[in-house]
Amino acid sequence: MKITLALMLCLLMVNAAHARKIQEEKRVLIDQVLELTGAQQITKLLSQTLTKEIIGKMHEKYGQVDRAVVAIVFAEAERIMYEDFILNNKLNDILYDLYDESFSLKQMQEITEFYSSPTGIKMIAAMPSISQRSMEAARQHAGTLSEKIYQRINERLESAREAIERAEAEEEAAPETKTGEK
Protein backbone atom coordinates (compact mmCIF):
# COMPACT_ATOMS: atom_id res chain seq x y z
CA MET A 1 0.00 0.00 0.00
CA LYS A 2 1.27 3.39 -0.94
CA ILE A 3 -0.29 5.36 1.91
CA THR A 4 1.17 6.57 5.14
CA LEU A 5 -0.26 5.92 8.56
CA ALA A 6 -0.68 9.66 9.04
CA LEU A 7 -3.09 9.88 6.13
CA MET A 8 -5.10 6.99 7.52
CA LEU A 9 -5.35 8.64 10.92
CA CYS A 10 -6.42 11.92 9.32
CA LEU A 11 -9.17 10.12 7.44
CA LEU A 12 -10.39 8.36 10.54
CA MET A 13 -10.52 11.60 12.50
CA VAL A 14 -12.53 13.53 9.89
CA ASN A 15 -16.24 13.15 10.57
CA ALA A 16 -18.35 14.97 8.05
CA ALA A 17 -16.07 16.64 5.54
CA HIS A 18 -17.71 18.01 2.42
CA ALA A 19 -15.75 19.04 -0.63
CA ARG A 20 -15.81 22.79 -0.82
CA LYS A 21 -15.21 24.81 -3.93
CA ILE A 22 -11.58 24.55 -4.90
CA GLN A 23 -9.79 25.92 -7.88
CA GLU A 24 -9.93 23.48 -10.76
CA GLU A 25 -6.14 23.63 -11.15
CA LYS A 26 -5.71 22.74 -7.49
CA ARG A 27 -8.25 19.91 -7.74
CA VAL A 28 -6.32 18.47 -10.70
CA LEU A 29 -3.08 18.64 -8.69
CA ILE A 30 -4.74 16.94 -5.71
CA ASP A 31 -5.98 14.20 -8.06
CA GLN A 32 -2.43 13.75 -9.34
CA VAL A 33 -1.03 13.47 -5.81
CA LEU A 34 -3.73 10.99 -4.85
CA GLU A 35 -2.96 8.93 -7.94
CA LEU A 36 0.81 9.08 -7.42
CA THR A 37 0.56 8.11 -3.74
CA GLY A 38 -2.12 5.46 -4.22
CA ALA A 39 -4.34 7.16 -1.67
CA GLN A 40 -7.45 5.42 -3.00
CA GLN A 41 -6.09 2.24 -1.47
CA ILE A 42 -6.98 3.68 1.93
CA THR A 43 -10.43 2.10 1.56
CA LYS A 44 -8.90 -1.37 1.62
CA LEU A 45 -6.88 -0.49 4.70
CA LEU A 46 -9.93 0.97 6.43
CA SER A 47 -11.96 -2.06 5.40
CA GLN A 48 -9.39 -4.39 6.95
CA THR A 49 -9.30 -2.35 10.15
CA LEU A 50 -13.09 -2.30 10.46
CA THR A 51 -13.31 -6.00 9.70
CA LYS A 52 -10.82 -6.84 12.43
CA GLU A 53 -12.84 -4.77 14.90
CA ILE A 54 -16.09 -6.45 13.88
CA ILE A 55 -14.56 -9.93 14.08
CA GLY A 56 -13.08 -9.07 17.47
CA LYS A 57 -16.47 -7.99 18.81
CA MET A 58 -18.12 -11.09 17.38
CA HIS A 59 -15.43 -13.24 19.00
CA GLU A 60 -16.01 -11.55 22.38
CA LYS A 61 -19.76 -12.05 22.13
CA TYR A 62 -19.99 -15.50 20.52
CA GLY A 63 -16.58 -17.11 20.91
CA GLN A 64 -14.78 -18.64 17.94
CA VAL A 65 -15.97 -17.14 14.64
CA ASP A 66 -16.33 -19.52 11.70
CA ARG A 67 -14.06 -18.85 8.70
CA ALA A 68 -17.05 -18.57 6.39
CA VAL A 69 -18.48 -15.81 8.59
CA VAL A 70 -15.10 -14.04 8.58
CA ALA A 71 -15.06 -14.20 4.78
CA ILE A 72 -18.56 -12.70 4.63
CA VAL A 73 -17.59 -9.89 7.00
CA PHE A 74 -14.48 -9.10 4.93
CA ALA A 75 -16.46 -9.11 1.68
CA GLU A 76 -19.27 -6.91 2.99
CA ALA A 77 -16.93 -4.44 4.68
CA GLU A 78 -14.89 -4.12 1.50
CA ARG A 79 -18.04 -3.71 -0.61
CA ILE A 80 -19.56 -1.06 1.68
CA MET A 81 -16.29 0.86 1.91
CA TYR A 82 -16.02 0.82 -1.89
CA GLU A 83 -19.64 1.92 -2.34
CA ASP A 84 -19.44 4.75 0.16
CA PHE A 85 -15.89 5.98 -0.29
CA ILE A 86 -15.38 5.43 -4.02
CA LEU A 87 -18.77 5.29 -5.74
CA ASN A 88 -20.27 8.02 -3.55
CA ASN A 89 -17.02 10.01 -3.72
CA LYS A 90 -16.69 10.38 0.06
CA LEU A 91 -12.95 9.69 -0.08
CA ASN A 92 -12.42 12.50 -2.56
CA ASP A 93 -14.61 14.84 -0.50
CA ILE A 94 -12.46 14.17 2.54
CA LEU A 95 -9.13 14.32 0.74
CA TYR A 96 -9.96 17.43 -1.28
CA ASP A 97 -10.89 19.28 1.90
CA LEU A 98 -7.76 18.14 3.74
CA TYR A 99 -5.37 18.97 0.91
CA ASP A 100 -7.11 22.26 0.11
CA GLU A 101 -6.98 23.29 3.76
CA SER A 102 -3.36 22.23 4.22
CA PHE A 103 -1.64 23.33 1.02
CA SER A 104 -1.64 26.32 -1.31
CA LEU A 105 -1.78 25.92 -5.08
CA LYS A 106 1.99 26.50 -5.29
CA GLN A 107 2.65 23.88 -2.59
CA MET A 108 0.44 21.38 -4.42
CA GLN A 109 2.48 22.00 -7.56
CA GLU A 110 5.68 21.39 -5.60
CA ILE A 111 4.27 18.23 -4.01
CA THR A 112 3.21 16.91 -7.41
CA GLU A 113 6.64 17.67 -8.83
CA PHE A 114 8.30 15.92 -5.90
CA TYR A 115 6.16 12.79 -6.11
CA SER A 116 6.80 12.68 -9.86
CA SER A 117 10.58 12.91 -9.36
CA PRO A 118 12.82 9.83 -9.02
CA THR A 119 13.22 10.55 -5.29
CA GLY A 120 9.48 10.98 -4.81
CA ILE A 121 8.77 7.76 -6.71
CA LYS A 122 11.32 5.96 -4.54
CA MET A 123 9.75 7.44 -1.39
CA ILE A 124 6.28 6.28 -2.44
CA ALA A 125 7.64 2.80 -3.11
CA ALA A 126 9.53 2.68 0.20
CA MET A 127 6.87 4.13 2.51
CA PRO A 128 4.75 1.00 2.95
CA SER A 129 7.80 -1.00 4.00
CA ILE A 130 9.12 1.80 6.21
CA SER A 131 5.72 2.22 7.86
CA GLN A 132 5.27 -1.51 8.39
CA ARG A 133 8.80 -2.02 9.70
CA SER A 134 8.63 1.00 12.01
CA MET A 135 5.28 -0.18 13.40
CA GLU A 136 6.71 -3.64 14.01
CA ALA A 137 9.85 -2.23 15.67
CA ALA A 138 7.72 0.06 17.86
CA ARG A 139 5.41 -2.86 18.76
CA GLN A 140 8.40 -5.03 19.72
CA HIS A 141 9.90 -2.25 21.83
CA ALA A 142 6.54 -1.61 23.51
CA GLY A 143 6.43 -5.33 24.36
CA THR A 144 9.68 -4.95 26.30
CA LEU A 145 8.06 -2.21 28.38
CA SER A 146 5.34 -4.41 29.86
CA GLU A 147 7.60 -5.57 32.71
CA LYS A 148 8.50 -1.97 33.54
CA ILE A 149 4.82 -0.97 33.48
CA TYR A 150 3.89 -3.93 35.66
CA GLN A 151 6.65 -3.05 38.15
CA ARG A 152 5.56 0.59 38.41
CA ILE A 153 1.92 -0.36 38.84
CA ASN A 154 2.88 -2.74 41.65
CA GLU A 155 4.97 -0.02 43.32
CA ARG A 156 2.09 2.43 43.18
CA LEU A 157 -0.41 -0.13 44.45
CA GLU A 158 1.96 -1.11 47.26
CA SER A 159 2.43 2.54 48.20
CA ALA A 160 -1.34 3.07 48.21
CA ARG A 161 -1.85 -0.07 50.32
CA GLU A 162 0.75 1.15 52.84
CA ALA A 163 -0.90 4.58 53.02
CA ILE A 164 -4.28 2.97 53.69
CA GLU A 165 -2.80 0.75 56.40
CA ARG A 166 -1.11 3.78 58.05
CA ALA A 167 -4.37 5.73 57.98
CA GLU A 168 -6.25 2.78 59.48
CA ALA A 169 -3.60 2.35 62.19
CA GLU A 170 -3.72 6.05 63.04
CA GLU A 171 -7.50 5.90 63.20
CA GLU A 172 -7.39 2.94 65.58
CA ALA A 173 -4.74 4.60 67.76
CA ALA A 174 -6.58 7.92 68.03
CA PRO A 175 -8.81 8.20 71.10
CA GLU A 176 -12.42 7.93 70.22
CA THR A 177 -14.42 11.06 70.74
CA LYS A 178 -17.49 10.74 72.84
CA THR A 179 -20.75 11.48 71.18
CA GLY A 180 -21.88 14.96 71.88
CA GLU A 181 -18.30 16.28 72.39
CA LYS A 182 -16.98 18.77 69.92
Side-chain angles (χ1 to χ4, degrees):
M1 283 173 245
K2 296 179 182 176
I3 189 75
T4 63
L5 181 60
L7 180 58
M8 180 181 149
L9 292 176
C10 286
L11 285 173
L12 292 175
M13 292 179 355
V14 173
N15 279 340
H18 298 287
R20 57 181 162 237
K21 293 282 183 189
I22 354 179
Q23 298 171 306
E24 185 58 29
E25 185 179 1
K26 193 172 187 181
R27 187 177 294 275
V28 168
L29 291 169
I30 293 170
D31 285 337
Q32 288 175 1
V33 169
L34 297 178
E35 180 67 31
L36 288 166
T37 60
Q40 280 73 13
Q41 293 183 25
I42 189 80
T43 57
K44 287 186 180 183
L45 193 55
L46 290 171
S47 174
Q48 291 170 357
T49 302
L50 287 172
T51 300
K52 288 177 185 175
E53 289 177 20
I54 292 168
I55 297 299
K57 288 178 182 180
M58 291 174 78
H59 180 69
E60 287 174 14
K61 189 171 183 176
Y62 304 111
Q64 186 65 28
V65 181
D66 187 83
R67 289 178 193 235
V69 173
V70 171
I72 291 170
V73 172
F74 268 99
E76 287 304 316
E78 194 169 281
R79 182 181 309 154
I80 289 170
M81 295 298 288
Y82 179 78
E83 289 169 359
D84 198 58
F85 279 94
I86 303 301
L87 296 181
N88 292 333
N89 242 0
K90 186 63 175 175
L91 182 62
N92 282 348
D93 289 348
I94 293 168
L95 293 173
Y96 287 150
D97 278 350
L98 290 172
Y99 277 91
D100 186 44
E101 180 182 301
S102 301
F103 303 105
S104 69
L105 176 62
K106 184 178 185 316
Q107 290 169 327
M108 286 305 304
Q109 290 167 335
E110 291 169 352
I111 291 168
T112 304
E113 287 173 17
F114 171 74
Y115 281 133
S116 298
S117 72
T119 303
I121 292 168
K122 184 174 182 177
M123 180 180 165
I124 290 169
M127 284 311 294
S129 174
I130 290 170
S131 295
Q132 182 180 11
R133 291 170 58 200
S134 65
M135 293 279 287
E136 183 57 36
R139 190 176 305 123
Q140 286 177 357
H141 180 70
T144 67
L145 299 177
S146 63
E147 183 60 36
K148 184 185 264 187
I149 294 168
Y150 179 74
Q151 181 181 355
R152 286 195 186 170
I153 290 170
N154 278 339
E155 288 170 3
R156 289 182 70 181
L157 291 174
E158 181 62 24
S159 176
R161 186 188 60 76
E162 289 172 358
I164 291 170
E165 287 177 356
R166 277 193 305 276
E168 288 174 347
E170 290 173 6
E171 189 177 293
E172 288 177 10
E176 291 189 30
T177 59
K178 295 180 185 173
T179 46
E181 286 186 20
K182 294 186 181 182

